[in-house]
Structure formats: C-alpha cells, structure tokens
Amino acid sequence: MFNQQLWLSPSIHPVYARLICAELKRRGFSETQILEGTRLNWNTLHHDNSFLSFDQMHRLVLHALALSQCPWLGIEVGRHTDVSAHGAAGYASIVTGNVRSAVGIINRYSSLRQNIAAFRIDPQQPAMLVLDERLILPELREYLLGHFTTAILRLLETATGLPMHQQLTLHWPMPETQWSEAYRQVAGKVQFNSDQLRLELPIGYLDSPCLASDLEAERLALRDCENQLQRLVRGGSLSERIKQRLLSCDSQYPTLEQMAAQEHMAPRTLIRHLGDEGVRYQTLLDDVRCDLACWFLSQTSLSIESVAERLGYLDPTNFSRTFRRWLGVTPRGFRQQARRSSSEFDASTSTDL
C-alpha cells in the first residue's frame, strides 16, 4: 500500500477524470449518478485544472466500474481520448518528425499530465513499446492499462494517419476473461499473461512520418513543455506546494503566517497569490485534513481518537463534529462504509462479471 503522502498528493490532470464522466454520460448516467459517493464536485472537476490525487481518481474509477458493469471501461475511455487531452506534450508529439520522436516526447513529458505510468521504446526490441507502471493498484490496473493502450494508439494513428490494428500485437499482462474479445478488437493479435503491457508495432512503424510535422510548431510546443516541467520540478503551483507541505505535517499544522515564512513571502502576498489560483489557505488545510482523515479511517486500524490526535485535534469530539461537517457522516460511520465497500469490491472481483 502506498503511504498517505503519495496516495493524497496531486498526480493526475482532471481531464482524465472528465473523460470517464463523458463516457458514463454517453451510457445514459446522470451527473449525480456518476459522482455519487466519490466526494467530487461536478463543476469543480470540469472547470478547475488543479491535479487530482490518486485517491480521488481511485474513488472515481471504482465507482465508474461498478456503475457501468464494464470491466474493459478503460479501453472505451481511451478510444475517446483526443490528442488535446495530453496538453502541450500531445500537440508536440503530432507535429514532430516521426513516431519515434513522438513516443520520446510523450515519455519525457508524461509527468505534466499524470504520474501513473509512461510508455517507452524497448531498446532491446526497437519495434516494441513498453509501459512502465509507477502508481497502479491491482483494482485499477485493468482500467488504467486499457486506457493507456487505446489512448496511445489513438495518438499515434492521429499523428500518422496510419491504422495499425491488424498489424499490432498486444501483450496483455492479465489472463483471459469472459470479456477478452474487447482486447482482441484493439489489436490483430493478443497475447495474454505477459510480464508487462507491451505494444508490438509493425516493423518500420517508428520511422513513419507525422502528417502535421512542423519544426517551428514543435519548437514552440517543446519550449512550453520544458517551462511546465521546470515548474513541476520546483514543486508546481503555490497551492500544490502548500498541499505537499501540509501532507508532510504530523499533527502540528502551520498557521498562515508560518506557511508564508516557509514560502519566503509576506502573509498578505501569500493570500493574494492563493487568491489568484482561486483558493484560500484554510480551504487547503481543511482539504488536507479531510483527505488524511479518510485515509487513516479507511486504510489503517488506528482508533478514532488516534486519528484525531494525528490531525491536530486535542478533543476527539471536536474532530467528529468537524468530520461530520465535511462529509455528512461520523468518522465511525465513514469507516464502516469504507469497509463495506471494500468487501463488496472483493466479492465482485472474485467472480466473473
């Protein structure tokens, strides 16, 4: 299990959550049904570009799988993932010279959109793309690998104009199931139980030219990517840096004045910069405490009193009152719901759908 800081840190651009919502709407589900129990807000999700945590994406994907009853949902979402979803890196990849360069760009700048996984060219097998998994849980693996597979194929087909279905071999790192036909529709040949997700491309495909190749457009797009990457290396936006600092705290949370000092700025300057990003310090603090509370209650056996203490509450009753204001349920009730949901998921995955 990942530690709580990794689990709750910003890791995924909300566009990938919006794509799930769009797929579920195509299937006839309402906005209320799509986000029920996920603790996500529709308007915030669709208008705020702040990265989601892995925890938020985890809740949304599990709910989407249960709602749709479609274990291969990732494949369907990936098929509707336009190049624009990948931001500046996606644009740079279709205006570069050839497929080899496009894959290199997507690999280098994948962290600008997500920290889950990235494709690379296998140096030992130059016609093979391999997915390196960074942050994938077993219960999300089929969805995420399906999405990565069809999304990269759509990007490459957009770049080259060359369909590759019949010439592609998909090495799928899972056993055959009752819905394996969905994977056979992705590639001409599918080999199950592979050690990694691999896409075996047609010989010479990596040297295929990109239809929209434009050196000047590529230069400008790559400059944008590099600027974003350097910002990410520095810790991202101010609100993202503050959230990371708060996640690393242990019961003692800094005041606004103390956080401003850590950011080497005056409190009024901190307030102004956060305002420019559409957030307040107290909101960030409440969000982090709420996320940590949910993580401790669902992922550990700590007593509610110990959870309250870890979050800086000297009085467990005050913590329970605040938690109920956050989520509309008591900490004990939330823990029971989380355990029940986990048991239901284990039961559903133990049988074929």
Side-chain angles (χ1 to χ4, degrees), residues 143-326:
Y143 172 85
L144 292 172
L145 267 57
H147 189 173
F148 274 102
T149 297
T150 47
I152 189 70
L153 292 178
R154 177 161 187 185
L155 183 147
L156 296 180
E157 290 182 354
T158 299
T160 63
L162 301 173
M164 65 177 85
H165 170 267
Q166 293 301 324
Q167 303 176 71
L168 176 73
T169 298
L170 170 63
H171 299 259
W172 187 247
M174 296 179 190
E176 279 198 76
T177 60
Q178 291 182 353
W179 53 90
S180 292
E181 185 58 33
Y183 297 95
R184 293 191 176 93
Q185 293 176 9
V186 172
K189 183 179 180 182
V190 182
Q191 295 183 2
F192 293 94
N193 292 309
S194 172
D195 59 332
Q196 271 183 294
L197 173 58
R198 298 171 180 267
L199 302 178
E200 189 173 344
L201 306 174
I203 298 299
Y205 183 81
L206 288 174
D207 297 317
S208 301
C210 294
L211 295 177
S213 179
D214 184 322
L215 290 178
E216 180 62 13
E218 180 187 10
R219 183 184 69 80
L220 293 174
L222 290 178
R223 185 175 68 180
D224 187 11
C225 289
E226 281 297 325
N227 289 337
Q228 291 184 45
L229 189 60
Q230 291 308 309
R231 179 185 177 190
L232 189 64
V233 169
R234 293 193 296 269
S237 66
L238 177 61
S239 58
E240 288 170 343
R241 292 200 306 273
I242 287 177
K243 185 169 185 179
Q244 291 284 19
R245 291 184 189 276
L246 292 173
L247 283 170
S248 64
C249 293
D250 186 10
S251 75
Q252 296 296 322
Y253 292 92
T255 64
L256 184 145
E257 290 74 17
Q258 291 170 332
M259 182 60 74
Q262 292 182 37
E263 286 290 331
H264 308 290
M265 61 180 68
R268 289 172 65 95
T269 304
L270 178 68
I271 293 172
R272 186 175 70 254
H273 287 333
L274 286 178
D276 291 341
E277 296 181 19
V279 295
R280 297 170 55 248
Y281 180 68
Q282 187 61 49
T283 302
L284 289 175
L285 180 56
D286 287 345
D287 287 347
V288 165
R289 280 174 143 177
C290 180
D291 287 345
L292 284 170
C294 292
W295 189 87
F296 285 128
L297 290 169
S298 62
Q299 304 296 328
T300 77
S301 59
L302 288 173
S303 68
I304 292 174
E305 291 75 16
S306 296
V307 173
E309 183 179 352
R310 288 207 175 197
L311 296 176
Y313 290 92
L314 299 179
D315 182 1
T317 302
N318 187 28
F319 165 65
S320 294
R321 187 183 306 113
T322 302
F323 190 89
R324 190 181 186 102
R325 174 171 57 81
W326 286 336

Side-chain angles (χ1 to χ4, degrees), residues 333-346:
F334 177 85
R335 172 167 273 170
Q336 291 172 346
Q337 289 177 2
R339 288 175 175 170
R340 186 163 55 248
S341 297
S342 178
S343 298
E344 290 172 354
F345 177 81
D346 290 342

